[in-house]
Every structure is written in structure tokens, then in C-alpha cells.
Amino acid sequence: MSTYKFECLNVSISPEGVARVEISRPEALNAFNTQTWTEIGQCFTRFKVDGDVRSVVLSASGRMFTAGLDLKEAMTGPLSKPRDPDADVARKGYYHRLFILDFQSAISAVESCDKPVVVVVQGGCLGIGIDLISACDVRIATEDAYFMVKEVDIGMAADIGTLQRLPKIVGNDSWMREVCYTARKVTSKEAHFVGLVSNVYPTTAEALKAASDIAGTIAAKSPVAIVSTKHLLNYSRDHSVREGLEYTALWNTLAHNSHDMATAIVSSLKKQPAHFPKL
């Protein structure tokens, strides 16, 4: 039985080490209120140090992945209530910045969790949804999925990760700027073409099955090798080739001391499945 109990997330972990996280606010089209993004940060921060978790499938309940930010809460929640209404702009801005940083940190927990995250998108994925899936490792969509960098339509620039991560995912600066400036709808077919998602499936059930298969394959491999690979991919993305190589050499001086290498080599020679202890 899962020890991960949340209000807006359903979490379970299989015996093989595949964690399943479902965003569950279908009555609000999975719009993100403060509780939702706070729980995502808490959940993935725990996954990072939970040896029972080897990979993650992230999805959402209902007919769409997320409608984006919960605008009703935004009008009445923390963003609309400065701790001191009489404070000057600088003082209000100081705490507003800390709020944004907390929000960023919660979504970035998905990326900084060393366990690979496979996300399934069905229906609409708007605003904060793009921030979230951009922090995941593998993105899969259904045919009816669509994507919108929606922030300009509510009078702001995206500030939780889309503008930083999406350009490195799609590698097309012109396309990236177009969709961010216009907030237009991007179909699953177009998302697949530009490399935002790796595969598109006819139904949610089929997409979830594909994600589970990917996550299961990952979970069966050496956890030392997997967390090392994700960590080094993220580091190398944000540094030069030389810096990435030097850091990898340093990292692997430790990681190569795992028994997993010998286990994997012997199992490969014997043509039999390898079994690795949890991290």
C-alpha cells in the first residue's frame, strides 16, 4: 500500500518499482491550484530518495491533462493577497518573487528527481501543463491531445520553466517563439513533428500502456546506471561538451564501483535477465 497520501494526486508504486502519479482534479479540469503544485514538489522530492521507486509514469484523470493555472484561486489566493497590503512595491515584490521561486522549485522537482519520468498527455495541456511536461524525461500524447503556451493570454510571460526548457527540447527557435507569442493550439501531430512528444497513440489507455512499458523497461535496469544517466544528461544539457565530459569522468569514478556492472555483464553473457538491488 502506498504511503504517499495527497489531496490532488493519486500515487501508487508497483513491486517492480514503477511509481504512478495521477493528477486528480477532474472537476476543475485538473487546473493547478497551490495545493496541486505543492504536492507535486513534495511527491517528486520524496521519489528522489525512495529506493523503491525506479521510474515514474505521470498522468492526469478526466478528459484533459490540465486547463492550466486555476484562475479562480489566482484571483483570491496567495498571489492576490500580499502579506502587508500597505507595503511599498519593493517590499511586496520581494515576497512575490519568493512565491514564484517556490512554484518553480516544485515543478523543477520533477526534473531534479533522478528517476526518469514518462508523462502521458490526453486532451488539453495548457499553460502550467507545458511547464510540467517540459520537466519530464519522456512525453507521450494521445491523438486528441493539444498544447498551448497560454500565459500571454492572461497578460504574463510563462515563468515556471517553459521558456527555459522547451527551446532545448524542440530545437526550433522560430517555432518556439511563435507558439509562445501567439498562444496558438499545437496538435499532437505537430507536437510529434517538432519533437515535443516521442509518440502519439489513438487512446489514453494505449498511451498509458506504452508509458508503463517504457517505465517497466527502465525499472528493470541497474538503478545506479539509470539515475547516473539522467543526472548526466541534465548536467550536460546545461554545460559545454568539455564540461560535461569532465563531470561524467568524475561521476563515474564513483558509479563504476557498483556491483551492478558485473551483474549486468554476466547476465548478458549468459543471456538471462539481470536482477539489481534497489538504490
Side-chain angles (χ1 to χ4, degrees), residues 114-116 222-236 247-248 251-252 254-256 258 279:
D114 287 327
K115 318 303 172 59
S222 159
V224 173
I226 293 297
V227 300
S228 294
T229 298
K230 176 170 180 175
H231 183 82
L232 293 170
L233 280 169
N234 287 346
Y235 183 91
S236 296
Y247 183 76
T248 299
W251 179 276
N252 271 351
L254 173 65
H256 283 177
S258 164
L279 197 63

Side-chain angles (χ1 to χ4, degrees), residues 60-278:
S61 62
R63 62 186 177 87
M64 69 187 305
F65 186 76
T66 177
L69 187 67
D70 188 328
L71 297 180
K72 291 182 179 179
E73 188 202 61
M75 297 297 292
T76 60
L79 283 176
S80 66
K81 297 177 181 178
R83 63 172 60 197
D84 181 359
D86 298 322
D88 61 29
V89 173
R91 286 168 173 79
K92 290 178 181 177
Y94 175 80
Y95 290 104
H96 187 87
R97 172 179 170 272
L98 294 182
F99 178 85
I100 294 172
L101 289 173
D102 283 345
F103 201 161
Q104 291 175 346
S105 179
I107 300 304
S108 291
V110 177
E111 180 180 78
S112 60
C113 171
D114 287 327
K115 318 303 172 59
V117 181
V118 184
V119 63
V120 174
V121 179
Q122 85 283 5
C125 179
L126 281 59
I128 182 62
I130 307 296
D131 296 310
L132 178 60
I133 69 168
S134 297
C136 297
D137 296 273
V138 179
R139 289 162 293 278
I140 292 173
T142 59
E143 289 182 353
D144 69 346
Y146 61 93
F147 307 82
M148 298 176 74
V149 183
K150 194 69 173 166
E151 282 80 357
V152 294
D153 280 349
I154 58 171
M156 60 174 284
D159 56 1
I160 311 298
T162 291
L163 303 185
Q164 292 71 38
R165 296 187 176 101
L166 196 54
K168 296 179 180 180
I169 293 170
V170 300
N172 184 327
D173 184 71
S174 176
W175 181 89
M176 169 69 192
R177 289 171 183 269
E178 177 199 340
V179 298
C180 291
Y181 295 154
T182 64
R184 72 169 175 84
K185 181 185 290 187
V186 175
T187 65
S188 60
K189 182 178 180 180
E190 183 180 1
H192 190 203
F193 177 77
V194 299
L196 176 57
V197 300
S198 54
N199 276 298
V200 177
Y201 293 87
T203 67
T204 301
E206 290 172 275
L208 285 170
K209 172 64 166 56
S212 295
D213 288 346
I214 293 169
T217 298
I218 293 169
K221 299 186 184 300
S222 159
V224 173
I226 293 297
V227 300
S228 294
T229 298
K230 176 170 180 175
H231 183 82
L232 293 170
L233 280 169
N234 287 346
Y235 183 91
S236 296
R237 178 198 60 195
D238 298 331
H239 295 78
S240 70
V241 172
R242 178 177 291 278
E243 289 169 329
L245 287 169
E246 290 178 352
Y247 183 76
T248 299
L250 180 62
W251 179 276
N252 271 351
T253 58
L254 173 65
H256 283 177
N257 288 288
S258 164
H259 295 303
D260 292 9
M261 290 183 66
T263 299
I265 291 170
V266 170
S267 296
S268 178
L269 291 173
K270 292 184 176 180
K271 300 186 185 305
Q272 62 186 25
H275 300 282
F276 304 99
K278 66 182 184 181

Side-chain angles (χ1 to χ4, degrees), residues 4 6 35 37-47 106 109:
Y4 291 78
F6 297 106
Q35 186 71 23
W37 60 258
T38 298
E39 290 183 356
I40 285 175
Q42 293 170 344
C43 181
F44 282 88
T45 297
R46 286 180 61 186
F47 281 168

